[in-house]
PDB file of all heavy atoms in Angstrom:
ATOM      1  N   GLN A 210     140.275 -51.944-212.683  1.00  0.00           N
ATOM      2  CA  GLN A 210     139.813 -51.357-213.969  1.00  0.00           C
ATOM      3  C   GLN A 210     140.826 -50.426-214.488  1.00  0.00           C
ATOM      4  O   GLN A 210     140.693 -49.972-215.666  1.00  0.00           O
ATOM      5  CB  GLN A 210     138.426 -50.613-213.706  1.00  0.00           C
ATOM      6  CG  GLN A 210     137.298 -51.540-213.523  1.00  0.00           C
ATOM      7  CD  GLN A 210     136.108 -50.752-213.111  1.00  0.00           C
ATOM      8  OE1 GLN A 210     135.638 -49.909-213.868  1.00  0.00           O
ATOM      9  NE2 GLN A 210     135.492 -51.104-211.970  1.00  0.00           N
ATOM     10  N   ILE A 211     141.735 -49.791-213.786  1.00  0.00           N
ATOM     11  CA  ILE A 211     142.596 -48.823-214.203  1.00  0.00           C
ATOM     12  C   ILE A 211     144.070 -49.045-214.049  1.00  0.00           C
ATOM     13  O   ILE A 211     144.881 -48.620-214.856  1.00  0.00           O
ATOM     14  CB  ILE A 211     142.254 -47.445-213.484  1.00  0.00           C
ATOM     15  CG1 ILE A 211     142.908 -46.332-214.243  1.00  0.00           C
ATOM     16  CG2 ILE A 211     142.592 -47.474-212.032  1.00  0.00           C
ATOM     17  CD1 ILE A 211     142.337 -44.987-214.044  1.00  0.00           C
ATOM     18  N   ALA A 212     144.491 -49.982-213.166  1.00  0.00           N
ATOM     19  CA  ALA A 212     145.911 -50.188-212.801  1.00  0.00           C
ATOM     20  C   ALA A 212     146.589 -51.185-213.734  1.00  0.00           C
ATOM     21  O   ALA A 212     146.062 -52.257-214.100  1.00  0.00           O
ATOM     22  CB  ALA A 212     146.009 -50.668-211.382  1.00  0.00           C
ATOM     23  N   ASP A 213     147.851 -50.844-214.157  1.00  0.00           N
ATOM     24  CA  ASP A 213     148.579 -51.917-214.865  1.00  0.00           C
ATOM     25  C   ASP A 213     149.182 -52.837-213.812  1.00  0.00           C
ATOM     26  O   ASP A 213     149.355 -53.964-214.196  1.00  0.00           O
ATOM     27  CB  ASP A 213     149.731 -51.190-215.598  1.00  0.00           C
ATOM     28  CG  ASP A 213     149.223 -50.073-216.497  1.00  0.00           C
ATOM     29  OD1 ASP A 213     148.408 -50.405-217.430  1.00  0.00           O
ATOM     30  OD2 ASP A 213     149.593 -48.950-216.310  1.00  0.00           O
ATOM     31  N   VAL A 214     149.568 -52.294-212.728  1.00  0.00           N
ATOM     32  CA  VAL A 214     150.179 -53.092-211.648  1.00  0.00           C
ATOM     33  C   VAL A 214     149.532 -52.795-210.350  1.00  0.00           C
ATOM     34  O   VAL A 214     149.119 -51.596-210.128  1.00  0.00           O
ATOM     35  CB  VAL A 214     151.682 -52.565-211.539  1.00  0.00           C
ATOM     36  CG1 VAL A 214     152.340 -53.277-210.292  1.00  0.00           C
ATOM     37  CG2 VAL A 214     152.479 -52.922-212.755  1.00  0.00           C
ATOM     38  N   VAL A 215     149.285 -53.823-209.549  1.00  0.00           N
ATOM     39  CA  VAL A 215     148.574 -53.624-208.261  1.00  0.00           C
ATOM     40  C   VAL A 215     149.555 -53.935-207.063  1.00  0.00           C
ATOM     41  O   VAL A 215     150.227 -54.916-207.098  1.00  0.00           O
ATOM     42  CB  VAL A 215     147.264 -54.481-208.136  1.00  0.00           C
ATOM     43  CG1 VAL A 215     146.648 -54.297-206.744  1.00  0.00           C
ATOM     44  CG2 VAL A 215     146.206 -53.962-209.252  1.00  0.00           C
ATOM     45  N   ALA A 216     149.558 -53.036-206.078  1.00  0.00           N
ATOM     46  CA  ALA A 216     150.366 -53.352-204.858  1.00  0.00           C
ATOM     47  C   ALA A 216     149.229 -53.495-203.708  1.00  0.00           C
ATOM     48  O   ALA A 216     148.428 -52.617-203.703  1.00  0.00           O
ATOM     49  CB  ALA A 216     151.235 -52.181-204.548  1.00  0.00           C
ATOM     50  N   VAL A 217     149.393 -54.583-203.010  1.00  0.00           N
ATOM     51  CA  VAL A 217     148.413 -54.793-201.865  1.00  0.00           C
ATOM     52  C   VAL A 217     149.145 -54.461-200.645  1.00  0.00           C
ATOM     53  O   VAL A 217     150.193 -54.983-200.214  1.00  0.00           O
ATOM     54  CB  VAL A 217     148.014 -56.270-201.721  1.00  0.00           C
ATOM     55  CG1 VAL A 217     147.023 -56.511-200.631  1.00  0.00           C
ATOM     56  CG2 VAL A 217     147.425 -56.761-203.171  1.00  0.00           C
ATOM     57  N   MET A 218     148.652 -53.559-199.784  1.00  0.00           N
ATOM     58  CA  MET A 218     149.182 -53.173-198.525  1.00  0.00           C
ATOM     59  C   MET A 218     148.457 -53.778-197.387  1.00  0.00           C
ATOM     60  O   MET A 218     147.186 -53.934-197.342  1.00  0.00           O
ATOM     61  CB  MET A 218     149.098 -51.580-198.332  1.00  0.00           C
ATOM     62  CG  MET A 218     150.152 -50.907-199.101  1.00  0.00           C
ATOM     63  SD  MET A 218     150.166 -49.008-198.653  1.00  0.00           S
ATOM     64  CE  MET A 218     151.064 -49.180-197.157  1.00  0.00           C
ATOM     65  N   TYR A 219     149.296 -54.120-196.382  1.00  0.00           N
ATOM     66  CA  TYR A 219     148.704 -54.587-195.026  1.00  0.00           C
ATOM     67  C   TYR A 219     149.563 -54.088-193.895  1.00  0.00           C
ATOM     68  O   TYR A 219     150.808 -54.335-193.955  1.00  0.00           O
ATOM     69  CB  TYR A 219     148.668 -56.162-195.101  1.00  0.00           C
ATOM     70  CG  TYR A 219     147.937 -56.733-193.876  1.00  0.00           C
ATOM     71  CD1 TYR A 219     146.458 -56.669-193.918  1.00  0.00           C
ATOM     72  CD2 TYR A 219     148.590 -57.079-192.760  1.00  0.00           C
ATOM     73  CE1 TYR A 219     145.744 -57.167-192.764  1.00  0.00           C
ATOM     74  CE2 TYR A 219     147.791 -57.636-191.675  1.00  0.00           C
ATOM     75  CZ  TYR A 219     146.423 -57.608-191.738  1.00  0.00           C
ATOM     76  OH  TYR A 219     145.707 -58.020-190.635  1.00  0.00           O
ATOM     77  N   ALA A 220     148.979 -53.387-192.930  1.00  0.00           N
ATOM     78  CA  ALA A 220     149.666 -52.980-191.758  1.00  0.00           C
ATOM     79  C   ALA A 220     150.957 -52.209-192.089  1.00  0.00           C
ATOM     80  O   ALA A 220     152.013 -52.447-191.596  1.00  0.00           O
ATOM     81  CB  ALA A 220     149.867 -54.156-190.842  1.00  0.00           C
ATOM     82  N   GLY A 221     150.835 -51.315-193.133  1.00  0.00           N
ATOM     83  CA  GLY A 221     151.881 -50.358-193.447  1.00  0.00           C
ATOM     84  C   GLY A 221     153.049 -50.906-194.347  1.00  0.00           C
ATOM     85  O   GLY A 221     153.946 -50.239-194.576  1.00  0.00           O
ATOM     86  N   ARG A 222     152.789 -52.049-194.861  1.00  0.00           N
ATOM     87  CA  ARG A 222     153.739 -52.693-195.752  1.00  0.00           C
ATOM     88  C   ARG A 222     153.096 -53.203-197.110  1.00  0.00           C
ATOM     89  O   ARG A 222     151.949 -53.577-197.025  1.00  0.00           O
ATOM     90  CB  ARG A 222     154.450 -53.933-195.188  1.00  0.00           C
ATOM     91  CG  ARG A 222     155.368 -53.495-194.027  1.00  0.00           C
ATOM     92  CD  ARG A 222     155.879 -54.771-193.426  1.00  0.00           C
ATOM     93  NE  ARG A 222     156.895 -54.578-192.420  1.00  0.00           N
ATOM     94  CZ  ARG A 222     157.347 -55.439-191.520  1.00  0.00           C
ATOM     95  NH1 ARG A 222     156.878 -56.665-191.581  1.00  0.00           N
ATOM     96  NH2 ARG A 222     158.273 -55.057-190.642  1.00  0.00           N
ATOM     97  N   ILE A 223     153.897 -53.367-198.190  1.00  0.00           N
ATOM     98  CA  ILE A 223     153.361 -54.054-199.345  1.00  0.00           C
ATOM     99  C   ILE A 223     153.580 -55.525-199.179  1.00  0.00           C
ATOM    100  O   ILE A 223     154.635 -56.019-198.951  1.00  0.00           O
ATOM    101  CB  ILE A 223     154.044 -53.481-200.622  1.00  0.00           C
ATOM    102  CG1 ILE A 223     153.739 -52.040-200.911  1.00  0.00           C
ATOM    103  CG2 ILE A 223     153.607 -54.330-201.810  1.00  0.00           C
ATOM    104  CD1 ILE A 223     154.484 -51.488-202.030  1.00  0.00           C
ATOM    105  N   VAL A 224     152.450 -56.224-199.257  1.00  0.00           N
ATOM    106  CA  VAL A 224     152.496 -57.731-199.032  1.00  0.00           C
ATOM    107  C   VAL A 224     152.486 -58.479-200.438  1.00  0.00           C
ATOM    108  O   VAL A 224     152.771 -59.698-200.395  1.00  0.00           O
ATOM    109  CB  VAL A 224     151.545 -58.240-198.063  1.00  0.00           C
ATOM    110  CG1 VAL A 224     151.883 -57.665-196.669  1.00  0.00           C
ATOM    111  CG2 VAL A 224     150.097 -58.054-198.508  1.00  0.00           C
ATOM    112  N   GLU A 225     151.837 -57.933-201.391  1.00  0.00           N
ATOM    113  CA  GLU A 225     151.921 -58.489-202.695  1.00  0.00           C
ATOM    114  C   GLU A 225     151.958 -57.518-203.782  1.00  0.00           C
ATOM    115  O   GLU A 225     151.249 -56.441-203.626  1.00  0.00           O
ATOM    116  CB  GLU A 225     150.595 -59.425-202.826  1.00  0.00           C
ATOM    117  CG  GLU A 225     150.637 -60.238-204.325  1.00  0.00           C
ATOM    118  CD  GLU A 225     149.759 -61.421-204.223  1.00  0.00           C
ATOM    119  OE1 GLU A 225     149.158 -61.772-203.153  1.00  0.00           O
ATOM    120  OE2 GLU A 225     149.640 -62.128-205.343  1.00  0.00           O
ATOM    121  N   ILE A 226     152.546 -57.756-204.973  1.00  0.00           N
ATOM    122  CA  ILE A 226     152.585 -56.872-206.019  1.00  0.00           C
ATOM    123  C   ILE A 226     152.588 -57.660-207.263  1.00  0.00           C
ATOM    124  O   ILE A 226     153.202 -58.723-207.313  1.00  0.00           O
ATOM    125  CB  ILE A 226     153.692 -55.767-205.890  1.00  0.00           C
ATOM    126  CG1 ILE A 226     153.557 -54.632-206.959  1.00  0.00           C
ATOM    127  CG2 ILE A 226     155.152 -56.526-205.956  1.00  0.00           C
ATOM    128  CD1 ILE A 226     154.482 -53.483-206.682  1.00  0.00           C
TER     129      ILE A 226
END
Side-chain angles (χ1 to χ4, degrees):
Q210 292 175 52
I211 194 157
D213 306 302
V214 172
V215 176
V217 180
M218 282 190 75
Y219 189 78
R222 291 175 174 167
I223 294 175
V224 297
E225 181 161 359
I226 188 165

